Coordinates of all heavy atoms in Angstrom, one line a residue:
E1 N -13.1 20.7 -6.8 CA -13.0 20.0 -5.6 C -11.5 20.1 -5.0 O -10.6 20.3 -5.8 CB -13.3 18.5 -5.7 CG -14.7 18.2 -6.2 CD -14.6 17.9 -7.7 OE1 -13.8 18.4 -8.4 OE2 -15.5 17.1 -8.2
S2 N -11.4 20.0 -3.8 CA -10.1 20.0 -3.1 C -10.2 19.3 -1.8 O -11.4 19.1 -1.3 CB -9.5 21.4 -3.0 OG -10.4 22.2 -2.1
G3 N -9.1 19.0 -1.2 CA -9.1 18.4 0.2 C -8.8 16.9 0.3 O -8.7 16.3 1.3
G4 N -8.8 16.2 -0.9 CA -8.5 14.8 -0.9 C -7.1 14.5 -0.4 O -6.1 15.4 -0.6
S5 N -6.8 13.4 0.2 CA -5.5 13.1 0.7 C -5.4 11.6 1.1 O -6.4 10.9 1.0 CB -5.2 14.0 1.9 OG -3.9 13.8 2.4
L6 N -4.2 11.2 1.6 CA -4.0 9.9 2.2 C -4.3 10.1 3.7 O -3.6 10.9 4.3 CB -2.6 9.4 1.9 CG -2.1 8.2 2.6 CD1 -3.0 7.0 2.3 CD2 -0.7 7.9 2.4
V7 N -5.1 9.3 4.2 CA -5.4 9.3 5.7 C -5.5 7.9 6.2 O -5.8 7.0 5.5 CB -6.7 10.1 5.8 CG1 -7.9 9.4 5.2 CG2 -6.9 10.4 7.3
K8 N -5.2 7.7 7.5 CA -5.2 6.4 8.1 C -6.7 6.1 8.5 O -7.5 7.1 8.7 CB -4.3 6.4 9.4 CG -2.9 6.5 9.0 CD -2.0 6.4 10.3 CE -0.5 6.5 9.9 NZ 0.3 6.4 11.1
P9 N -7.0 4.9 8.6 CA -8.3 4.5 9.1 C -8.7 5.1 10.4 O -7.8 5.2 11.3 CB -8.2 3.0 9.2 CG -7.2 2.6 8.2 CD -6.2 3.7 8.2
G10 N -9.9 5.6 10.5 CA -10.3 6.4 11.7 C -10.1 7.8 11.6 O -10.6 8.6 12.5
G11 N -9.4 8.3 10.6 CA -9.0 9.7 10.4 C -10.2 10.5 9.8 O -11.3 9.9 9.5
S12 N -10.0 11.8 9.6 CA -10.9 12.7 9.1 C -10.4 13.5 7.9 O -9.2 13.8 7.9 CB -11.5 13.6 10.2 OG -12.1 12.9 11.2
L13 N -11.3 13.9 7.0 CA -10.9 14.8 5.9 C -12.1 15.7 5.7 O -13.3 15.3 6.0 CB -10.6 14.1 4.7 CG -9.2 13.4 4.5 CD1 -9.2 12.7 3.2 CD2 -8.1 14.4 4.6
R14 N -11.9 16.9 5.2 CA -12.9 17.7 4.7 C -12.7 18.1 3.3 O -11.7 18.7 2.9 CB -13.1 19.0 5.6 CG -14.3 19.8 5.2 CD -14.5 21.1 6.0 NE -13.6 22.2 5.6 CZ -13.8 23.4 5.9 NH1 -14.8 23.8 6.6 NH2 -12.9 24.4 5.5
L15 N -13.6 17.6 2.4 CA -13.6 18.0 1.0 C -14.3 19.3 0.8 O -15.4 19.5 1.4 CB -14.1 16.9 0.2 CG -13.6 15.5 0.4 CD1 -14.2 14.5 -0.6 CD2 -12.1 15.5 0.2
S16 N -13.8 20.1 -0.1 CA -14.4 21.3 -0.5 C -14.8 21.3 -2.0 O -14.1 20.7 -2.8 CB -13.5 22.5 -0.4 OG -13.1 22.6 1.0
C17 N -15.9 21.9 -2.3 CA -16.4 22.0 -3.7 C -16.8 23.5 -3.9 O -17.8 24.0 -3.5 CB -17.7 21.2 -3.9 SG -18.5 21.4 -5.5
A18 N -15.8 24.2 -4.5 CA -15.9 25.7 -4.8 C -16.6 25.8 -6.1 O -16.2 25.3 -7.1 CB -14.6 26.3 -4.8
A19 N -17.7 26.6 -6.0 CA -18.5 26.9 -7.2 C -18.4 28.2 -7.8 O -18.2 29.2 -7.0 CB -20.0 26.6 -6.9
S20 N -18.5 28.4 -9.1 CA -18.5 29.6 -9.7 C -19.5 29.6 -10.9 O -19.8 28.5 -11.4 CB -17.2 30.1 -10.2 OG -16.7 29.1 -11.1
G21 N -20.1 30.7 -11.2 CA -21.1 30.8 -12.3 C -22.5 30.5 -11.9 O -23.4 30.6 -12.7
F22 N -22.7 30.2 -10.6 CA -24.0 29.9 -10.1 C -24.0 30.0 -8.6 O -22.9 30.1 -8.0 CB -24.6 28.6 -10.6 CG -23.9 27.4 -9.9 CD1 -24.6 26.7 -8.9 CD2 -22.7 27.0 -10.3 CE1 -24.0 25.7 -8.3 CE2 -22.1 25.9 -9.7 CZ -22.7 25.2 -8.7
T23 N -25.1 30.0 -8.0 CA -25.2 30.1 -6.5 C -25.5 28.8 -6.0 O -26.5 28.2 -6.3 CB -26.2 31.2 -6.1 OG1 -26.0 32.4 -6.7 CG2 -26.3 31.4 -4.6
V24 N -24.7 28.3 -5.1 CA -24.9 26.9 -4.5 C -26.2 26.9 -3.7 O -26.8 25.8 -3.5 CB -23.7 26.5 -3.6 CG1 -22.5 26.3 -4.4 CG2 -23.5 27.4 -2.4
D25 N -26.7 28.0 -3.2 CA -27.9 28.0 -2.4 C -29.1 27.5 -3.3 O -30.0 26.9 -2.7 CB -28.2 29.4 -1.9 CG -27.4 29.9 -0.7 OD1 -26.6 29.0 -0.3 OD2 -27.5 31.0 -0.3
S26 N -29.0 27.8 -4.6 CA -30.2 27.6 -5.4 C -30.1 26.3 -6.2 O -31.1 25.9 -6.9 CB -30.4 28.7 -6.4 OG -30.6 29.9 -5.6
Y27 N -29.1 25.6 -6.1 CA -28.9 24.3 -6.8 C -28.8 23.1 -5.9 O -28.4 23.2 -4.7 CB -27.6 24.4 -7.6 CG -27.7 25.1 -8.9 CD1 -28.1 26.4 -9.0 CD2 -27.4 24.4 -10.1 CE1 -28.2 27.0 -10.2 CE2 -27.5 25.1 -11.4 CZ -27.9 26.4 -11.4 OH -28.0 27.0 -12.6
M28 N -29.1 22.0 -6.4 CA -28.9 20.7 -5.7 C -27.4 20.3 -5.9 O -26.9 20.4 -7.1 CB -29.7 19.6 -6.2 CG -29.6 18.3 -5.5 SD -30.7 17.0 -6.1 CE -32.3 17.7 -5.5
I29 N -26.7 20.1 -4.9 CA -25.3 19.7 -5.0 C -25.1 18.3 -4.4 O -25.6 17.9 -3.4 CB -24.4 20.6 -4.1 CG1 -24.7 22.1 -4.4 CG2 -22.9 20.3 -4.3 CD1 -24.3 22.5 -5.8
G30 N -24.5 17.4 -5.2 CA -24.2 16.1 -4.8 C -22.7 15.8 -4.7 O -21.9 16.3 -5.5
W31 N -22.5 14.9 -3.8 CA -21.1 14.3 -3.7 C -21.2 12.8 -4.2 O -22.1 12.1 -3.7 CB -20.5 14.4 -2.3 CG -19.9 15.7 -2.0 CD1 -20.6 16.7 -1.3 CD2 -18.6 16.2 -2.3 NE1 -19.7 17.8 -1.1 CE2 -18.5 17.5 -1.7 CE3 -17.6 15.7 -3.0 CZ2 -17.4 18.3 -1.9 CZ3 -16.4 16.5 -3.2 CH2 -16.3 17.8 -2.6
F32 N -20.3 12.5 -5.1 CA -20.3 11.1 -5.6 C -18.9 10.6 -5.4 O -17.9 11.4 -5.3 CB -20.7 11.1 -7.1 CG -22.1 11.6 -7.3 CD1 -22.4 12.9 -7.4 CD2 -23.2 10.7 -7.4 CE1 -23.7 13.4 -7.6 CE2 -24.5 11.2 -7.6 CZ -24.7 12.5 -7.7
R33 N -18.7 9.3 -5.5 CA -17.4 8.7 -5.5 C -17.3 7.5 -6.4 O -18.3 6.8 -6.7 CB -17.0 8.3 -4.1 CG -17.8 7.2 -3.5 CD -17.4 7.0 -2.0 NE -18.1 5.9 -1.4 CZ -18.0 5.6 -0.1 NH1 -17.3 6.3 0.7 NH2 -18.7 4.5 0.4
Q34 N -16.1 7.3 -6.9 CA -15.9 6.1 -7.8 C -14.5 5.5 -7.4 O -13.5 6.1 -7.4 CB -15.8 6.5 -9.2 CG -15.8 5.3 -10.2 CD -16.2 5.7 -11.6 OE1 -16.1 6.9 -12.0 NE2 -16.6 4.7 -12.3
A35 N -14.6 4.2 -6.9 CA -13.5 3.4 -6.6 C -13.0 2.7 -7.9 O -13.8 2.4 -8.7 CB -13.8 2.5 -5.5
P36 N -11.8 2.3 -7.9 CA -11.3 1.5 -9.1 C -12.1 0.3 -9.3 O -12.4 -0.5 -8.4 CB -9.8 1.2 -8.7 CG -9.4 2.2 -7.7 CD -10.6 2.5 -7.0
G37 N -12.5 0.1 -10.5 CA -13.3 -1.1 -10.9 C -14.7 -1.1 -10.4 O -15.4 -2.1 -10.6
K38 N -15.2 0.0 -9.9 CA -16.6 0.1 -9.4 C -17.3 1.2 -10.0 O -16.7 2.1 -10.6 CB -16.6 0.2 -7.9 CG -16.0 -0.9 -7.1 CD -16.3 -0.7 -5.6 CE -15.8 -1.9 -4.8 NZ -16.1 -1.8 -3.3
E39 N -18.6 1.1 -10.0 CA -19.4 2.2 -10.6 C -19.4 3.4 -9.6 O -19.3 3.3 -8.4 CB -20.8 1.7 -10.8 CG -21.0 0.6 -11.9 CD -22.4 0.3 -12.3 OE1 -23.3 0.9 -11.6 OE2 -22.6 -0.5 -13.1
R40 N -19.7 4.5 -10.2 CA -19.9 5.8 -9.4 C -21.1 5.6 -8.5 O -22.1 5.1 -9.0 CB -20.0 6.9 -10.4 CG -20.1 8.3 -9.7 CD -20.0 9.4 -10.7 NE -18.8 9.4 -11.5 CZ -18.6 10.4 -12.4 NH1 -19.4 11.3 -12.6 NH2 -17.5 10.3 -13.1
E41 N -20.9 6.0 -7.3 CA -22.1 5.9 -6.4 C -22.3 7.3 -5.7 O -21.4 8.0 -5.5 CB -21.8 4.8 -5.3 CG -20.7 5.1 -4.4 CD -20.5 4.1 -3.2 OE1 -21.5 3.4 -3.0 OE2 -19.5 4.0 -2.7
G42 N -23.5 7.5 -5.3 CA -23.9 8.7 -4.6 C -23.5 8.6 -3.1 O -23.6 7.5 -2.5
V43 N -22.9 9.6 -2.6 CA -22.4 9.7 -1.2 C -23.3 10.6 -0.4 O -23.9 10.1 0.7 CB -21.0 10.2 -1.1 CG1 -20.6 10.4 0.3 CG2 -20.1 9.3 -1.9
S44 N -23.6 11.8 -0.9 CA -24.4 12.7 -0.1 C -25.0 13.8 -1.1 O -24.5 14.0 -2.2 CB -23.5 13.4 1.0 OG -24.3 14.3 1.8
C45 N -26.0 14.5 -0.6 CA -26.7 15.4 -1.4 C -27.3 16.5 -0.5 O -27.7 16.2 0.6 CB -27.7 14.7 -2.3 SG -28.8 15.8 -3.2
I46 N -27.3 17.7 -1.1 CA -28.0 18.8 -0.4 C -28.9 19.5 -1.3 O -28.4 19.9 -2.4 CB -27.0 19.7 0.4 CG1 -27.7 20.8 1.2 CG2 -26.0 20.4 -0.6 CD1 -26.8 21.5 2.2
Q47 N -30.1 19.7 -0.9 CA -31.1 20.3 -1.8 C -30.9 21.9 -1.8 O -30.3 22.5 -0.9 CB -32.5 20.0 -1.4 CG -32.8 18.5 -1.5 CD -34.1 18.1 -0.8 OE1 -34.3 16.9 -0.7 NE2 -34.9 19.0 -0.4
S48 N -31.5 22.5 -2.8 CA -31.6 24.0 -2.8 C -32.3 24.4 -1.5 O -33.2 23.8 -1.0 CB -32.5 24.4 -4.0 OG -32.9 25.7 -3.8

């Protein structure tokens, strides 16, 4: 992953997830996040 940063409210960011060893077209890819003191949660997902 890359693209994380400090941004002001209302701003935008684009995160990247570069894959190797497999083809992203054929796999389910999920984005998850974990805030301090909280459980990991699903953010978004894209199917094969």
Side-chain angles (χ1 to χ4, degrees):
E1 301 100 331
S2 61
S5 182
L6 170 64
V7 64
K8 293 182 179 180
S12 297
L13 281 176
R14 188 179 75 161
L15 304 184
S16 300
C17 174
S20 59
F22 72 103
T23 303
V24 295
D25 284 355
S26 298
Y27 276 60
M28 183 176 291
I29 310 295
W31 280 99
F32 300 84
R33 67 186 181 186
Q34 188 164 20
K38 294 189 177 181
E39 291 189 0
R40 186 174 297 183
E41 64 171 342
V43 174
S44 183
C45 173
I46 186 166
Q47 297 169 189
S48 162

